Amino acid sequence: MKPIASPEVTKSIMHRYGLRAAKKLGQNFLADAGIAEKIAEAAELTEKDTVLEIGPGLGSLTEALAETGAKVIAVELDGRMIPILSAGLKGYGNVRIVQGDILKMDILKETGGRPFKVCANLPYYITTPVIFALLEKNLPMERLVITVQKEVVRRMAAAPGGRNYGVLSVAARYFTEPEILLTVPKEAFIPAPKVESAVIMCRKREKPPVSVCDEGLFFRVVKAAFSVRRKMLVNALKNMGITGDECAAWLSRAGIDGKRRGETLSLEDFASLANTFGG
């Protein structure tokens, strides 16, 4: 029997239910069993694990996750998918399908407060909000394995100095150790998206690589530094609500040249700025 993540089965399901992918929800259904298996393998799941899947769609990745024996919690926003998922995955007693918006959901409640991993083919339109929600809420998340737009993967894994380096890069490196795994061609999805995708795996750090006195302030500084791309710090950081003179004095205390730009700052530099703010 062919897996859900095959072109034939995917097209058959869509035909049977008279289903069209919803553009407003960014739906592109994975139809490549090999890639689904690689994503599941990257999560290193066992029967003792709980894995949260966001946006299971027709269940192509869900099926691969269920085959590992892990407890799968599949959260789907689109109500049309619920009966399709229920029918396609009825043979798996380790899968629980939940209809809801992951951005409004009490994730701790859904996962029972236990450590969990995340696997998902994230819709492009909510990629960044979902990533920040998962990283910033201090959840007991052990690993994040996601398929997203290739451009987003580059931003998540970017090092200081490059054009892709920004707020998302800092957040990913602060909370996790990101690693790009593979590129996913457009043809692996039905319908095919306009851009290539990639899979990135982020191991959650036991503790951040830098020490900050106030994590919220740290990210306020990061966001201010990148608020206007290619702008010198002495000007960009005024978005913290301070004067030019105060900004210059602050940069001096932190030992950072005000002529530098946000994209050149390391995590250590941002930590120094946050820890000396208001000193």
Side-chain angles (χ1 to χ4, degrees), residues 241-274:
I242 58 178
T243 66
D245 288 342
E246 288 171 330
C247 188
W250 171 26
L251 286 159
S252 178
R253 287 195 302 274
I256 294 174
D257 186 349
K259 293 181 180 179
R260 291 175 64 184
R261 291 172 171 80
E263 56 265 33
T264 70
L265 268 60
S266 65
L267 263 66
E268 289 76 15
D269 292 330
F270 281 117
S272 178
L273 280 169

Side-chain angles (χ1 to χ4, degrees), residues 66-222:
E67 284 289 333
T68 68
K71 179 183 178 182
V72 183
I73 303 169
V75 178
E76 175 59 55
L77 177 63
D78 188 353
R80 299 177 304 161
M81 301 299 165
I82 304 304
I84 298 174
L85 289 164
S86 299
L89 300 164
K90 63 182 178 181
Y92 295 100
N94 57 328
V95 176
R96 180 162 62 90
I97 301 162
V98 180
Q99 183 179 1
D101 184 343
I102 193 67
L103 294 175
K104 299 177 181 178
M105 189 169 289
D106 186 338
I107 296 174
L108 275 178
K109 181 180 178 181
E110 292 296 337
T111 56
R114 294 184 296 273
F116 65 94
K117 298 176 180 179
V118 173
C119 280
N121 296 318
L122 288 180
Y124 297 156
Y125 81 104
I126 60 163
T127 295
T128 302
V130 168
I131 292 172
F132 275 110
L134 291 169
L135 294 180
E136 293 182 336
K137 289 183 178 179
N138 198 29
L139 299 165
M141 180 180 68
E142 300 175 323
R143 183 174 297 206
L144 175 69
V145 185
I146 52 175
T147 306
V148 293
Q149 191 173 343
K150 199 171 184 178
E151 177 189 343
V152 176
V153 165
R154 287 173 177 155
R155 284 164 51 203
M156 290 180 72
R163 65 182 181 86
N164 290 314
Y165 187 67
V167 178
L168 186 59
S169 318
V170 174
R173 289 180 174 275
Y174 180 84
F175 290 109
T176 74
E177 297 175 90
E179 177 186 349
I180 299 174
L181 298 182
L182 68 146
T183 296
V184 183
K186 304 173 187 178
E187 297 74 25
F189 297 94
I190 297 175
K194 294 181 180 179
V195 296
E196 280 193 326
S197 303
V199 180
I200 187 168
M201 187 266 288
C202 301
R203 294 184 185 87
K204 185 77 178 290
R205 296 182 186 272
E206 289 188 10
K207 64 177 183 178
V210 293
S211 178
V212 295
C213 58
D214 184 329
E215 199 168 88
L217 174 61
F218 173 80
F219 281 104
R220 276 183 60 207
V221 172
V222 172

Side-chain angles (χ1 to χ4, degrees), residues 8-72:
E8 299 89 343
V9 175
T10 297
K11 289 176 182 178
S12 173
I13 292 172
M14 294 178 72
H15 177 73
R16 188 187 318 150
Y17 288 89
L19 183 70
R20 288 188 178 184
K23 288 185 178 181
K24 67 178 182 179
L25 296 178
Q27 289 176 340
N28 301 95
F29 305 121
L30 181 63
D32 187 312
I35 291 174
E37 289 171 5
K38 287 178 181 178
I39 295 171
E41 287 171 7
E44 296 185 359
L45 297 167
T46 70
E47 293 180 359
K48 296 180 181 178
D49 286 317
T50 295
V51 57
L52 175 68
E53 184 189 6
I54 303 165
L58 302 180
S60 52
L61 177 57
T62 321
E63 186 176 45
L65 297 174
E67 284 289 333
T68 68
K71 179 183 178 182
V72 183

